[in-house]
Amino acid sequence: MPIEDAADTDGARAEADGGPRDNAAPGNEPRQDAPEGDRDASAPTPSSQLESSDALSQEAQEFLAVNFLKSRTDVQRAARQGVRVILSPTSHCYLDQPHGDASLNAAQEERRSTLGLPHYRPVTLEAFADWDPAQMTTPAQSQIAGVEAALWCETAVTAEDRMLLLLPRLGVIANAAWRAENDTWADLAERVGAQAPLWSRLGLTWYRADTVRWADAV
């Protein structure tokens, strides 16, 4: 979930209390989560994605709570003003979430708990794939400018860390953005696995999820 300007806490509290903050300007393209009515009932909400942790100070928890509440109406406000939006829901487009699939690579599996923000619950590749932007009702499909995958790098210390969080998730999210009807996870997993020889030739590192049959496996 995008965290907005920390200095805007008064406006955030006003909206959390029910007050409007219609300050979007036509021509902007806010990158926001789907409003409550457009979320898959089975998908976790941004706040439920966050694990409770004593490591967060009370001030930080209050800041996050205010901004989570504020973001829930951003898309609706933008849609009312005719603004085109870029969709980036936390549950399906944030790549800094820990891996929910085990890795076939022993070294990756050993590092799995250190990849991604620890306050998020682990997410599987299938969960990333299980999203259809076209099913959203707000905004209208004509107002959807695209889909954005976001990677925050607090835990991505090295380039390899970043690649392990990006691939193969980035391809899975792209597929969700341009998905075909009747596309299944089994079909997608097969197509993802077929990319392994190409990624190897390019010298890329990727997370070898055990839910995918990788074409370069010996």
Side-chain angles (χ1 to χ4, degrees):
M1 196 222 55
I3 299 298
E4 302 207 10
D5 189 350
D8 194 20
T9 52
D10 289 340
R13 290 191 180 93
E15 184 171 355
D17 291 336
R21 290 183 68 253
D22 288 329
N23 55 7
N28 292 337
E29 294 183 342
R31 296 163 172 82
Q32 304 295 353
D33 287 317
E36 182 68 19
D38 291 327
R39 289 196 181 98
D40 184 336
S42 64
T45 61
S47 57
S48 70
Q49 283 282 97
L50 287 172
E51 294 280 14
S52 175
S53 173
D54 294 335
L56 288 176
S57 68
Q58 183 64 31
E59 181 180 6
Q61 291 180 42
E62 290 177 356
F63 172 75
L64 288 173
V66 165
N67 279 277
F68 275 129
L69 285 173
K70 182 170 64 171
S71 75
R72 295 172 83 87
T73 59
D74 286 342
V75 171
Q76 291 168 315
R77 294 201 318 272
R80 288 198 302 269
Q81 297 183 52
V83 176
R84 299 187 74 206
V85 299
I86 296 174
L87 304 179
S88 187
T90 310
S91 56
H92 298 292
C93 289
Y94 270 41
L95 303 178
D96 55 343
Q97 299 180 85
H99 286 285
D101 302 298
S103 176
L104 296 171
N105 180 290
Q108 291 180 6
E109 180 62 20
E110 185 175 350
R111 297 178 55 203
R112 178 154 66 112
S113 63
T114 68
L115 294 170
L117 290 175
H119 305 301
Y120 284 116
R121 295 190 178 94
V123 181
T124 64
L125 282 177
E126 184 173 3
F128 272 111
D130 188 22
W131 175 51
D132 185 356
Q135 295 303 311
M136 296 182 63
T137 57
T138 305
Q141 287 192 40
S142 61
Q143 288 180 265
I144 299 176
V147 170
E148 175 190 66
L151 174 61
W152 310 105
C153 294
E154 288 87 342
T155 65
V157 178
T158 67
E160 183 179 17
D161 291 343
R162 293 190 290 274
M163 292 307 301
L164 290 176
L165 289 169
L166 282 169
L167 292 178
R169 290 168 160 182
L170 198 57
V172 171
I173 294 171
N175 184 79
W178 295 298
R179 70 187 307 157
E181 290 186 15
N182 303 318
D183 195 21
T184 67
W185 165 242
D187 293 336
L188 177 57
E190 191 74 19
R191 297 198 302 275
V192 168
Q195 306 308 308
L198 172 62
W199 292 345
S200 292
R201 289 197 301 272
L202 294 174
L204 300 177
T205 301
W206 71 95
Y207 189 79
R208 291 180 175 269
D210 65 355
T211 52
V212 173
R213 186 174 64 182
W214 300 102
D216 69 338
V218 178

